[in-house]
Amino acid sequence: MKTDELKLVVEWDKTFPKSEKVDHKKVTFINRYGITLAADMYIPKEPKNKFPAIAVSGPFGAVKEQCSGLYAQTMAEIGYLTIAFDPSFTGESGGKPRYMASPDINTEDFMAAVDFLSVQDNVDADKIGIIGICGWGGMAINTVALDTRIKATVVSTMYDMTRVNANGYFDSENNEEARYNLKKKLNSIRTEEYKKGEYSRAGGCIPLPVPEDVPFFVKDYSEYYKGRAYHARSINSNDGWNVIGCQSFMNQPILKYSNEIRSAVLIMHGDKAHSYYFGKDAYEAMIKDSNYTDNKEFLTIPGAVHTDLYDNLEVIPFDKIQKFFEENGVC
């Protein structure tokens, strides 16, 4: 297996300060579709023969220079070897066309990250966890439903991307007629774009300042992606996904077998987040008719909005995350 040579930025270009408590380097690895992925690796400075390890990704449309990197660096400060990676078709990772999402390939991305960590000389392959944020929270649950190597999973402020693409926000378009009309519109775009020979972009977050009359969560996203965490490679900070980039999520429910997950899963969500229902319902589905409920937890964070769990260090419960991993064999 040979990775492609990617053009990786050398200088520190994250949206958060560099920690002097950990070492950092860029790494690459390959998934089973032959796509080379780019990641930032954070290594505790305190020497150790074998570290417990964590792979982090998300949010959906973000890059590793944004909050997944913040999570990874913070967990490395605690004592974990971590990687934050860009999914296929995004950021510094490979894959063409750009700005496409896939429930299948993106699940494979997380599994490929576990492949990579499992063979590192300084990683204990029996002590690997994953953290998925926002849309990658749902992907993390789908991954651990497949990957028995993962000992514990933390899901932060999750989205169920299949549900929101099939049903709309708050399930407001959860009917056959609405889904048919959306599919008809997207397929018309596919034909037109194939004629033109180029793909269009859906648009990222609304530029600042956002109009006063938009929903709070729209303002919340823009203030993160266009403001305090803008990044030149971030899909959400710029022109968004391909217009048809998420079409395949509409009929591929990724959480179907979540109640068969045997390893530990913590879902944490702010109760003021517009996305709270994704996390709450995903937890209920995970424990329904399950024989493995003892190591499943749902943590409500009072007062927190969606992006508080992106970068608000006074809200993200890293002490709880550490405790959860330790109690479930990733320590």
Side-chain angles (χ1 to χ4, degrees):
M1 289 176 282
K2 185 176 184 302
T3 56
D4 291 335
E5 187 170 340
L6 302 176
K7 291 182 180 178
L8 303 177
V9 172
V10 175
E11 63 269 18
W12 185 262
D13 65 345
K14 321 301 179 198
T15 58
F16 50 90
K18 185 176 184 179
S19 171
E20 298 304 320
K21 299 177 182 175
V22 302
D23 292 321
H24 163 263
K25 64 178 181 179
K26 290 278 180 80
V27 297
T28 60
F29 56 95
I30 191 168
N31 70 17
R32 291 294 181 110
Y33 291 93
I35 298 171
T36 299
L37 304 181
D40 287 298
M41 177 181 283
Y42 299 91
I43 310 167
K45 285 192 172 178
E46 184 178 346
K48 202 170 184 179
N49 288 334
K50 298 281 187 182
F51 291 101
I54 299 170
V56 191
S57 198
F60 199 77
V63 287
K64 62 188 181 307
E65 286 74 18
Q66 296 174 311
C67 75
S68 63
L70 176 63
Y71 273 67
Q73 180 174 263
T74 305
M75 294 306 294
E77 289 178 336
I78 293 171
Y80 295 88
L81 183 147
T82 63
I83 57 171
F85 67 90
D86 285 331
S88 296
F89 314 113
T90 69
E92 290 187 300
S93 287
K96 290 183 178 179
R98 307 298 291 167
Y99 316 125
M100 289 292 292
S102 162
D104 186 3
I105 296 175
N106 292 153
T107 299
E108 165 60 25
D109 290 343
F110 242 140
M111 296 180 75
V114 176
D115 293 343
F116 172 76
L117 288 173
S118 297
V119 300
Q120 300 307 301
D121 290 339
N122 56 349
V123 166
D124 187 334
D126 290 325
K127 297 179 178 179
I128 293 177
I130 62 173
I131 298 175
I133 307 160
C134 185
W136 276 80
M139 221 70 76
I141 293 174
N142 196 44
T143 300
V144 73
L146 282 170
D147 197 326
T148 56
R149 299 169 298 176
I150 298 168
K151 293 295 184 293
T153 300
V154 171
V155 172
S156 181
T157 196
M158 72 165 281
Y159 257 51
D160 178 347
M161 294 306 299
T162 54
R163 181 174 177 180
V164 74
N165 277 285
N167 301 349
Y169 274 101
F170 313 111
D171 298 325
S172 60
E173 298 175 350
N174 185 18
N175 61 81
E176 187 273 342
E177 183 72 16
R179 275 187 285 276
Y180 177 80
N181 289 332
L182 177 57
K183 286 183 278 190
K184 191 174 179 182
K185 176 184 174 183
L186 291 173
N187 291 324
S188 175
I189 292 170
R190 293 180 71 106
T191 305
E192 289 304 311
E193 291 187 346
Y194 204 85
K195 283 180 186 172
K196 290 190 296 185
E198 60 184 34
Y199 302 118
S200 58
R201 306 278 293 277
C205 292
I206 297 175
L208 297 176
V210 297
E212 289 294 328
D213 58 349
V214 300
F216 172 78
F217 74 91
V218 175
K219 180 182 178 187
D220 190 32
Y221 278 133
S222 286
E223 289 180 345
Y224 178 79
Y225 285 108
K226 292 288 192 181
R228 65 186 187 272
Y230 174 84
H231 196 278
R233 289 191 296 274
S234 170
I235 293 171
N236 295 339
S237 290
N238 295 285
D239 296 326
W241 294 90
N242 276 350
V243 172
I244 56 92
C246 299
Q247 186 178 10
S248 63
F249 282 88
M250 290 182 68
N251 61 351
Q252 298 188 51
I254 58 175
L255 306 182
K256 183 173 177 57
Y257 297 108
S258 64
N259 66 347
E260 297 181 5
I261 298 170
R262 297 189 182 190
S263 62
V265 180
L266 166 66
I267 299 177
M268 56 188 199
H269 226 124
D271 64 357
K272 299 302 180 187
H274 68 284
S275 52
Y276 186 62
Y277 71 105
F278 288 130
K280 191 168 180 295
D281 291 355
Y283 174 75
E284 293 298 330
M286 190 164 56
I287 62 171
K288 184 180 179 183
D289 300 326
S290 171
N291 295 323
Y292 312 102
T293 59
D294 289 347
N295 57 2
K296 307 298 185 297
E297 290 187 40
F298 183 75
L299 175 66
T300 292
I301 302 173
V305 301
H306 187 80
T307 67
D308 277 336
L309 290 179
Y310 282 11
D311 64 340
N312 189 337
L313 295 178
E314 295 182 358
V315 173
I316 302 171
F318 281 109
D319 53 346
K320 169 62 181 176
I321 296 172
Q322 177 187 5
K323 184 169 183 283
F324 181 78
F325 277 126
E326 288 177 351
E327 289 176 345
N328 291 284
V330 185
C331 59

